Amino acid sequence: MLQEGSCSVSSPLKLFSMMSASPSLGSSHSWLKELKSEERGLYLIHLLLTCANQVADCNLENANATLEQISMLASPDGDTMQRIAAYFTEALADRILKAWPGLHKALNSTRMVMVSEEILVQKLFFELFPFLKVAYILTNQAIVEAMEGEKMIHIIDLNAAEPAQWIALLQVLSTRPEGPPHLRITSVHPKKEVLDQIARRLIEEAEKLDIPFQFNPVVSKLENLEFEKLRVKTGEALAISSILQLHTLLALDDETMKRKSPLLSKPSNGTHLQRFHPMNQTSLGDLFEKDTRSLESTSSSPASITIESFLNALWRLSPKVMVVTEQDSNHNGSTLMDRLLEALYSYAALFDCLESTVPRTSLERLRVEKMLFGEEIKNIIACEGLERKERHEKLDKWFMRLDFTRFGHVPLSYFGRLQARRFLQSCGCGGYKMKEENGCVVIYWQDRSLFSISAWRAMK
């Protein structure tokens, strides 16, 4: 959990404004280990940007030399910039290796991540950062307010990962003056083991609170979701919770645009190092084949499915409220350099959060940095096409998408924002900030926005 008490808010983000002071590349390496912390951080930024340019230009010999220099300074257990550099270096190396698919596959052939490890790292992220807790507070309050007086409530959770959110909601609903409603929660997750654990926890809590409750597990990736399995029924008041999920569907937009315009599929800025893989058959192709609004003049193949199609399908379910939490970052640039620079800023803030609140030797911290942030960085930097799922975008772009698909914005209530602000203040670290922006909430570390929470309803 977050450490109590005051904490430092000195940040490696300040180094980015000093990048012009970075020394030029030299042939001698002996002086590298004598650099002071700030000098080392500046030089690592310089090296990473240099290496990214070399990778984008397919100058692999120079990229290899630069990676060697970075490896002398970077460390997964060092200070913030050393840790960040270690994972960006790994991502750039992985991008280079993808030019040789056989070699890349051979080096990763025995790599396995156990479901238990995935569950653990998600739980650690929940415990070490306040972001999900704030999202849960605001989402639950928006649902409670939208469902006032409703006797049959159905919640669709597009990111079933942590039961704490719904346990808290069950406790609130159990205290309603008119009595608890009949509650049904449909949870979507690609791993059955995760859904089984959540089901056990929620059923136990509902029985303890004497709330009529049903749990509907849907084992599926979001892009393969069969909407009939959500079992939305007439007479139910529907709410949808999407936490850190919708951005993964933006890869479908990317592939669709390439199919619409073959010119867009031509490699640029080093993307010819990649090998694009055809999309697997998905049930959404059948579901949306009649949606002329979103599929007009496109192929009827599954790769024509877009985020717009998915949002249109959610709109047709007529939710009274849909709460969307997303990373408030611009990691979906078309070029490697765009993404790398934006990702450096964002992940510097996230790594700095841990630097200020968790000891460097913490095993939990190392797991989150490697298994969560490291994998996200690798996906942003090393992957292209449908393989690149971590396409985080800013709140204003989600506003445009949701508005276009006939969702009306619902301002988050003062009471919900007050609860979230009080919780954030209780974390005991002044680096975290929460701002209200056009009725939404954006969570910051220092002056860097990291996560946004917004509420919506289906307009007629």
Side-chain angles (χ1 to χ4, degrees), residues 118 157-160 187-192 195 217-227 229-230 245-246 248-249 252 278-284 287-288 305 310 379 386-387 389:
E118 291 183 353
D157 180 5
L158 296 179
N159 179 40
S187 291
V188 181
H189 196 279
K191 300 293 176 57
K192 182 178 182 297
L195 292 172
V218 178
V219 181
S220 174
K221 293 182 178 179
L222 211 57
E223 64 265 29
N224 299 334
L225 181 60
E226 298 177 28
F227 273 63
K229 290 185 177 180
L230 301 178
Q245 286 299 292
L246 292 182
T248 63
L249 299 175
L252 303 176
M279 184 177 179
N280 293 330
Q281 179 69 30
T282 71
S283 58
L284 283 177
L287 181 65
F288 298 131
I305 299 157
F310 191 86
N379 190 265
L386 291 169
E387 189 182 7
K389 297 293 188 181

Side-chain angles (χ1 to χ4, degrees), residues 352-376:
D352 195 42
C353 291
L354 291 176
E355 179 75 5
S356 298
T357 56
V358 185
R360 290 182 183 177
T361 55
S362 166
L363 181 59
E364 289 78 11
R365 174 179 173 179
L366 290 170
R367 280 176 169 160
V368 169
E369 289 175 341
K370 179 174 178 59
M371 297 171 63
L372 185 59
F373 298 154
E375 290 302 308
E376 289 179 359

